[in-house]
Amino acid sequence: MTGAEILFFILAGLLVFSALMVVLQRDVVYCAMALVAALFLIAILFITLNAPMVGVLQVLVYAGAIMVLFLFVIMFLNPRVSEARPGRWWSLVVAMVLLLGGALAALTTNGDPPADPVATTELFGSPENLAQSLFSDFVLPFEIASVLLLVAMVGAVVLAKRER
């Protein structure tokens, strides 16, 4: 097994564990933090595939903008604040292990060649290749996502302008 495969299995295990923490946690703030860790790990997987633009977009769009929206909704709904219970310190330990594992993975992939032969081309993950693929191969899903976001924005404006 090569170093890239070992790194992939480590990242995949951390990602599955983080995704399970999103589902199994009872506190919504802990769920949101586990989701942030999962999104960062996905971005690291994209970077290991020599697609740095997709990895950066993953962090900016999902871990940045979408998670701000999620946290805004969590604060807007004002869930009951959970009391500090003994034995809950392991959530902090899990979050730290996930972040340190992701940082270690990002540092160790700097010199490894990608295991995928497709990823060895120069244009893999480049802005030109990504735009060409997005606007030629995935036109319908891109337009559906655009309309869905537009409807969500209109719904948010209608809810915000509702009289009290």
Side-chain angles (χ1 to χ4, degrees):
M1 215 186 300
T2 66
E5 289 173 345
I6 293 171
L7 178 66
F8 171 76
F9 286 122
I10 291 171
L11 286 174
L14 289 172
L15 182 59
V16 167
F17 183 74
S18 176
L20 284 174
M21 295 301 289
V22 171
V23 176
L24 297 177
Q25 286 288 334
R26 288 187 177 188
D27 193 358
V28 291
V29 177
Y30 289 144
C31 290
M33 294 310 294
L35 185 59
V36 168
L39 293 173
F40 272 111
L41 287 168
I42 291 171
I44 292 171
L45 281 173
F46 280 130
I47 291 171
T48 60
L49 288 172
N50 286 340
M53 182 179 174
V54 181
V56 169
L57 288 175
Q58 172 78 20
V59 170
L60 288 177
V61 173
Y62 290 107
I66 300 297
M67 284 310 300
V68 166
L69 178 68
F70 282 180
L71 290 175
F72 176 74
V73 168
I74 288 170
M75 285 189 249
F76 184 67
L77 294 176
N78 197 11
R80 191 185 73 189
V81 178
S82 62
E83 296 114 17
R85 289 173 275 183
R88 295 294 298 215
W89 57 271
W90 62 272
S91 298
L92 180 62
V93 172
V94 167
M96 294 304 293
V97 166
L98 287 174
L99 291 176
L100 288 175
L104 179 67
L107 290 175
T108 57
T109 59
N110 205 7
D112 282 348
D116 189 357
V118 175
T120 59
T121 62
E122 293 176 6
L123 295 178
F124 180 76
S126 68
E128 296 87 10
N129 194 16
L130 182 64
Q132 179 67 30
S133 175
L134 185 64
F135 293 120
S136 63
D137 299 336
F138 299 103
V139 174
L140 183 62
F142 183 76
E143 291 300 323
I144 289 172
S146 305
V147 170
L148 184 65
L149 288 173
L150 179 65
V151 168
M153 284 183 1
V154 170
V157 169
V158 167
L159 286 175
K161 293 195 117 224
R162 183 178 60 185
E163 291 189 32
R164 298 182 189 263

